[in-house]
Amino acid sequence: TADEKQKYLKSYWTDPNQDLISKAVIPNLSLEKIAALAGILFDKLHGRVCSIDGIYKTNGIQKESAEASEIFVLQNPSDDEANDRHHTYQEEMELLNCVREGRFEDIEAVSRRMKNKVGKVAQNPLNQERTIAICSVTLVTRAAIEGGVPPVLAYQVSDLYINRIDQCQNIREIQNCYRENIYLFTHMVMDEQRKKQTSGYVENCKNYIHKNYQQNITVESAAGFLGISSSYLSRLFKRQTGQTVKNYLMAYRVEQAKNLLKYSDATLTQISDYVCFYSQSHFGSVFRKYTGMTPRQFREKYKQIKQ
């Protein structure tokens, strides 16, 4: 019947309206599809339907061998067919590297190139898209962790998006959801890299102070050494340490002065000059601010007596 013919075409052909002998349709056919084609031709010639099992039986073909042929075809597609159906390994790696390296400016172009280049993993189109999306989230999560996103945070985001994908009602919602996930993870990696860079500036500024505290240090000289603006260094240092560059410098000089007061016989003037306070009175006022006592009082209390 017409319904049975349509069922044949729907079950075994990608497009029931396409020319059956077109090269675009039959680059590589399994035995079952060939049998289906034979059944359709038989119907055309004789006006009645012949089942696939009947074709197998008439031609002495065991069903097991037909199934084995189908497996062989699935495992050994032609190179052209595989390339048409799937994105390449290199394209997948490029996408994951964009996430791993926080290359937000490249992610759109790479995603566009890979769009619709996936294998068939489910018969139902919605389930197909949902499965691909969940796999994508899983892979991108690992790439984000490798890029520096804390694992606990990455897994929380992953769980959130997998649950959202599971609740999507159509293909467009699913695609938008996992595309958003890719962009978010790429942005998170980029932020982590920026944090590391800014933390590096602060640590390098501290090291600069530790090595040069005996000289006249300013925010401008420290920023010049780091190759950034003084205003940026000031904001960055304050945000990450809770104190200004100048306060950190003064506190470090006081710590060095405390050691000299405890373990050396240098005079207060000599210590003041050594740690680069511009006068003894300035040394005294700053020291008192950070310790609650004058340099002399500190020495009298903590001076180590030589045996």
Side-chain angles (χ1 to χ4, degrees), residues 14 17 87 95 134 181 198 207 256:
T14 55
N17 299 315
H87 57 259
L95 177 70
I134 291 172
N181 174 255
T198 56
N207 291 335
Q256 305 313 304

Side-chain angles (χ1 to χ4, degrees), residues 46-266:
H46 301 286
R48 54 194 175 88
V49 174
C50 181
S51 69
I52 291 178
D53 287 340
I55 292 171
Y56 287 165
K57 184 175 180 180
T58 302
N59 290 274
I61 299 171
Q62 297 295 321
K63 191 168 184 180
E64 290 78 8
S65 64
E67 290 172 349
S69 172
E70 179 73 18
I71 292 170
F72 177 81
V73 170
L74 290 174
Q75 291 178 341
N76 297 275
S78 67
D79 290 341
D80 290 340
E81 187 181 4
N83 288 337
D84 287 343
R85 194 188 317 156
H86 278 279
H87 57 259
T88 65
Y89 176 75
Q90 288 76 14
E91 286 173 326
E92 182 178 304
M93 287 299 100
E94 186 178 1
L95 177 70
L96 295 179
N97 283 336
C98 281
V99 177
R100 193 178 291 114
E101 297 165 11
R103 290 192 281 122
F104 193 77
E105 68 281 2
D106 297 331
I107 200 73
E108 176 67 28
V110 176
S111 298
R112 197 183 302 116
R113 286 201 301 271
M114 294 177 63
K115 188 177 181 182
N116 299 327
K117 294 178 70 176
V118 292
K120 190 170 184 179
V121 296
Q123 294 298 320
N124 182 292
L126 190 63
N127 291 340
Q128 157 94 0
E129 205 65 38
R130 203 186 309 277
T131 302
I132 292 167
I134 291 172
C135 290
S136 171
V137 170
T138 302
L139 288 172
V140 170
T141 301
R142 303 303 189 272
I145 291 171
E146 291 168 6
V149 176
V152 172
L153 178 58
Y155 288 130
Q156 287 175 345
V157 172
S158 174
D159 291 345
L160 171 67
Y161 274 89
I162 288 174
N163 280 307
R164 283 181 57 186
I165 288 167
D166 189 52
Q167 294 170 18
C168 289
Q169 300 299 310
N170 58 62
I171 289 174
R172 181 179 294 276
E173 284 182 9
I174 294 172
Q175 290 177 338
N176 288 340
C177 196
Y178 76 74
R179 192 176 296 113
E180 180 184 313
N181 174 255
I182 291 172
Y183 293 161
L184 175 60
F185 268 131
T186 306
H187 221 294
M188 289 171 70
V189 172
M190 188 169 66
D191 286 344
E192 289 298 323
Q193 291 176 345
R194 193 176 291 144
K195 286 179 189 176
K196 287 180 181 178
Q197 185 182 35
T198 56
S199 296
Y201 284 137
V202 171
E203 291 305 311
N204 287 337
C205 181
K206 289 179 180 180
N207 291 335
Y208 176 80
I209 288 171
H210 298 168
K211 293 177 181 178
N212 300 280
Y213 73 94
Q214 295 169 280
Q215 302 173 32
N216 183 28
I217 294 177
T218 63
V219 177
E220 288 73 21
S221 66
F225 173 77
L226 297 172
I228 57 178
S229 71
S230 57
S231 59
Y232 178 60
L233 175 60
S234 295
R235 290 195 305 272
L236 196 61
F237 202 95
K238 176 74 173 178
R239 186 168 69 240
Q240 292 196 21
T241 68
Q243 57 186 324
T244 65
V245 175
K246 183 179 179 181
N247 286 343
Y248 183 86
L249 171 62
M250 292 297 107
Y252 189 78
R253 283 174 172 165
V254 167
E255 286 301 312
Q256 305 313 304
K258 285 164 65 175
N259 289 331
L260 292 170
L261 290 167
K262 286 168 64 175
Y263 302 114
S264 80
D265 294 323

Side-chain angles (χ1 to χ4, degrees), residues 8 12-13 30-42 50 52 55-56:
Y8 264 125
Y12 299 106
W13 239 263
S30 67
L31 190 57
E32 187 173 4
K33 283 189 176 181
I34 293 172
L37 175 59
I40 294 169
L41 293 175
F42 184 87
C50 181
I52 291 178
I55 292 171
Y56 287 165

